[in-house]
Amino acid sequence: MQKKFFITTPIYYSNAVPHIGNAYASFIADTIARYSRLSKVDTRFSTGVDENSQKVVESAASTGMSVMDYADMMAKKHQDTWDALDIDYSDFIRTTESRHRDFVQKVLQKSFDNGDIYEWDYKGLYCVGCETFKKETDIVNGRCADHPNRELEQLSEKNYFFKLSKYQDQILEFFEKNPDFVKPRTRYNEIIEFVRGGLEDFSISRETNKFGIPLPFDSTQVTYVWYDALFNYLTVVQDDESKWWPADIHVIGKDIVKFHGIYWLAMLWSAGYVAPRQLLTTGYFTVDGQKMSKSIGNVIDPVAYIGEYSRDMLVLYLFTAFPIGEDGDFSQEQAILTFNAKLANNLGNLLNRSIALTLKLGWKLEWDTLSVWKEKIEKYSSLMDTQDLKWSIDLAFEYASEINKYVDENTPWKFDAEIDSDREKLESVLFYMIANLRKIAIMLLPFFDTKMRELLSRIGVPYDDAISLVENLSLDPVSFFIAEKGEPLYMRIGK
Ligand code: ME8
């Protein structure tokens, strides 16, 4: 069997430019995809924009542009954002593309032909914010609990419905057989509980909306945005579906786990496809203790943020502040403290010390034995293989602290390079420092690619892209050289 890995982000609504919450999901997928590529696995990583939404139609109207002109402009802004953030995706999908329309019409027809889609006159309260019908229990003071600034719309129209209820038992059985399908476990349990409560068929078309994919069996209706959006994950791999499907990981926020854990499975089975392998569900974070919102004015633009600080600072903080799956808070003060403590001081210090001592000895260092940190390598790769990114990063920085501590205890600056016995001790301490620094940099490569490659080349052991990351980690080079002192790798922020 061919070894491949296919990971996706949600496709983001294109009525606004991506904010830091969207960037969070993309950084996670990007890091996992980079690790997979560095592990020499054939990797595909897709992202894109969700365009057939009423929100996009409304935003276009407010700018006075045509919907398509607006969608073109916004798709470009999304792509520019991901490029600026160095998100190394392989596919970018727009749901207005003809390849997507053709594919969605094909799967709709399949489900229609096998009797899973039927017509019904429907009345209900619709929230454009969520792009779903709301039940009485979801409504607070006449408004959707998640979008209190929007009026709910009373819709009464002919709709086509998808027989979700038919799949209830199959979904439960699938969950029982696949205990790791949804991570973290709390979300997995939530879905099971929801499904046990009973599944209702849902509407998959709109009569009044004009922007969207026409149903192949009734062109007076357009496809419900969530039905079309989920299928983006299959549209992107139409060039070689049998190789890439099922997707290995869908990275999604906790807000959309029901769509992916319930609707998506039934829609796939109905159209003759197998389920994806895993949903990696992220928590939501607040900014300085408050929900991100335009009215509060605390929505962080990730591009402006990395312009002022750096991508590495943003990734470091987003990944270490809270583990994937948990809710957290983005505190600007903590972001700076974390950056200074871990990248500028801990790692930066180890590099500075290694360089300074090597220069004292001469630029080249050779050694032939080294106690290998085997258990650290094993722990690191098992954490990366289970996408525990926080613990992997933390492990690398704990490792750096240990090496700094070792240096403090061995006081290599006290040795006199002119005395033979001292020189030998100095060489041994230095070799140990640099050999381990090299391993730390390799562990951090999927997170901070550019700077870690720079670090490795500054200690004279560039990364060997012909072999896997773990092989690079396990090999111990016999020589290092440091030609010059250079600028600090990371400049401390503030005093
Ligand atoms: O839901 N904290 O798109 P969307 C963490 N188009 N993550 C956050 C966040 C926060 N405060 N806010 C948003 C859609 N996110 C649909 C998806 S997929 C077939 C269709 C992230 O633009 C989180 O990953 O509203 C969430 O799922 C995603 O942004 C929603 O982006």
Side-chain angles (χ1 to χ4, degrees):
M1 213 175 78
Q2 214 160 6
K3 212 172 170 210
K4 67 87 191 170
F5 182 75
F6 175 32
I7 187 165
T8 68
T9 72
I11 49 169
Y12 307 104
Y13 287 124
S14 74
N15 60 318
V17 287
H19 55 68
I20 200 169
N22 307 135
Y24 179 54
S26 293
F27 279 133
I28 290 173
D30 180 69
T31 305
I32 298 170
R34 284 176 188 270
Y35 177 69
S36 170
R37 275 185 227 117
L38 289 165
S39 303
K40 298 278 136 210
V41 175
D42 199 359
T43 302
R44 195 154 182 171
F45 165 23
S46 79
T47 190
V49 274
D50 193 352
E51 300 179 295
N52 297 316
S53 158
Q54 208 41 35
K55 289 192 246 233
V56 177
V57 176
E58 285 176 8
S59 297
S62 72
T63 62
M65 293 168 90
S66 76
V67 187
M68 259 334 280
D69 284 350
Y70 177 80
D72 287 346
M73 174 187 82
M74 293 306 287
K76 166 108 187 18
K77 285 193 178 178
H78 276 245
Q79 252 178 312
D80 288 347
T81 300
W82 304 131
D83 293 344
L85 298 181
D86 198 15
I87 300 294
D88 201 3
Y89 54 88
S90 55
D91 294 81
F92 185 87
I93 178 163
R94 298 183 54 180
T95 55
T96 50
E97 286 174 71
S98 57
R99 61 171 174 152
H100 183 61
R101 184 197 56 225
D102 295 348
F103 181 71
V104 169
Q105 289 187 331
K106 191 175 106 182
V107 286
L108 276 166
Q109 190 66 50
K110 270 199 201 164
S111 289
F112 186 73
D113 292 345
N114 70 23
D116 280 349
I117 293 174
Y118 62 93
E119 204 183 311
W120 198 29
D121 282 322
Y122 191 71
K123 272 202 190 79
L125 284 170
Y126 192 80
C127 171
V128 174
C130 301
E131 291 282 16
T132 48
F133 280 103
K134 292 278 145 178
K135 288 189 197 162
E136 285 299 322
T137 48
D138 302 328
I139 299 173
V140 181
N141 299 330
R143 303 270 173 116
C144 161
D146 292 331
H147 297 96
N149 298 328
R150 276 180 176 272
E151 292 271 351
L152 288 165
E153 289 177 23
Q154 179 72 55
L155 292 184
S156 170
E157 54 179 41
K158 179 177 97 176
N159 275 184
Y160 285 84
F161 271 67
F162 178 80
K163 280 189 191 164
L164 182 65
S165 53
K166 173 179 149 183
Y167 290 93
Q168 177 159 339
D169 293 343
Q170 198 178 334
I171 293 174
L172 282 175
E173 203 178 303
F174 177 83
F175 269 79
E176 268 157 34
K177 285 201 186 127
N178 297 281
D180 295 326
F181 176 57
V182 182
K183 269 182 43 176
R185 192 73 187 179
T186 44
R187 303 272 167 245
Y188 172 92
N189 293 336
E190 257 172 41
I191 298 198
I192 295 202
E193 206 174 308
F194 187 85
V195 179
R196 286 206 183 114
L199 293 180
E200 288 173 15
D201 296 349
F202 68 98
S203 160
I204 53 139
S205 71
R206 296 286 175 269
E207 192 175 43
T208 41
N209 294 6
K210 294 290 162 253
F211 194 70
I213 300 175
L215 294 182
F217 41 83
D218 182 347
S219 60
T220 65
Q221 303 248 340
V222 298
T223 309
Y224 170 44
V225 60
W226 266 103
Y227 187 96
D228 111 54
L230 285 161
F231 273 107
N232 91 82
Y233 303 130
L234 260 159
T235 301
V236 293
V237 295
Q238 282 313 294
D239 54 348
D240 198 350
E241 182 187 281
S242 59
K243 171 175 172 186
W244 295 101
W245 196 259
D248 294 272
I249 296 182
H250 291 318
V251 178
I252 54 171
K254 66 174 182 180
D255 54 327
I256 57 177
V257 67
K258 277 186 200 147
F259 289 103
H260 287 78
I262 301 172
Y263 290 31
W264 182 217
L265 297 188
M267 286 157 50
L268 279 166
W269 291 332
S270 169
Y273 289 97
V274 297
R277 294 216 164 89
Q278 189 169 69
L279 308 181
L280 181 59
T281 309
T282 72
Y284 253 46
F285 56 83
T286 47
V287 170
D288 288 324
Q290 284 182 298
K291 190 178 168 188
M292 244 191 302
S293 95
K294 276 191 198 148
S295 50
I296 299 174
N298 65 346
V299 181
I300 299 179
D301 169 356
V303 178
Y305 193 89
I306 67 158
E308 191 172 348
Y309 300 102
S310 64
R311 182 196 198 267
D312 289 1
M313 171 162 151
L314 183 57
V315 168
L316 173 74
Y317 184 62
L318 282 174
F319 286 4
T320 53
F322 41 92
I324 295 177
E326 284 181 22
D327 289 337
D329 182 49
F330 186 97
S331 144
Q332 178 50 14
E333 199 187 322
Q334 285 303 323
I336 293 176
L337 289 175
T338 308
F339 172 81
N340 281 343
K342 292 182 195 273
L343 283 172
N345 292 356
N346 189 0
L347 187 69
N349 195 19
L350 188 55
L351 177 66
N352 290 346
R353 295 168 128 185
S354 306
I355 293 175
L357 289 168
T358 314
L359 292 175
K360 191 170 159 185
L361 265 180
W363 58 272
K364 196 163 161 61
L365 192 61
E366 297 198 26
W367 197 254
D368 55 5
T369 55
L370 179 77
S371 54
V372 183
W373 288 72
K374 210 169 161 213
E375 78 287 0
K376 280 223 164 46
I377 298 175
E378 278 165 12
K379 193 163 169 204
Y380 168 83
S381 44
S382 81
L383 288 171
M384 288 302 282
D385 289 341
T386 47
Q387 299 84 42
D388 287 307
L389 304 184
K390 172 176 169 48
W391 311 119
S392 320
I393 279 204
D394 283 352
L395 177 84
F397 286 108
E398 271 164 33
Y399 189 176
S401 300
E402 278 174 42
I403 305 302
N404 272 319
K405 195 164 156 246
Y406 163 90
V407 179
D408 293 341
E409 283 164 3
N410 283 278
T411 58
W413 47 87
K414 287 192 182 153
F415 300 129
D416 184 344
E418 303 303 319
I419 304 171
D420 277 359
S421 59
D422 266 18
R423 188 179 175 90
E424 212 171 280
K425 281 190 224 148
L426 183 52
E427 279 186 354
S428 116
V429 173
L430 241 182
F431 192 86
Y432 190 75
M433 285 167 75
I434 301 182
N436 285 300
L437 172 59
R438 172 184 163 275
K439 289 188 198 289
I440 294 162
I442 294 174
M443 288 180 177
L444 292 173
L445 203 54
F447 303 89
F448 316 119
D449 188 88
T450 310
K451 288 283 188 184
M452 292 307 114
R453 282 181 195 269
E454 187 186 326
L455 193 165
L456 290 165
S457 70
R458 277 171 67 176
I459 56 174
V461 275
Y463 186 81
D464 184 354
D465 274 298
I467 56 173
S468 75
L469 182 147
V470 170
E471 281 173 282
N472 265 291
L473 257 184
S474 311
L475 287 177
D476 284 306
V478 291
S479 71
F480 298 99
F481 64 87
I482 291 172
E484 56 180 301
K485 194 160 185 298
E487 287 288 305
L489 197 64
Y490 291 103
M491 298 290 270
R492 246 185 94 82
I493 300 171
K495 281 187 266 136

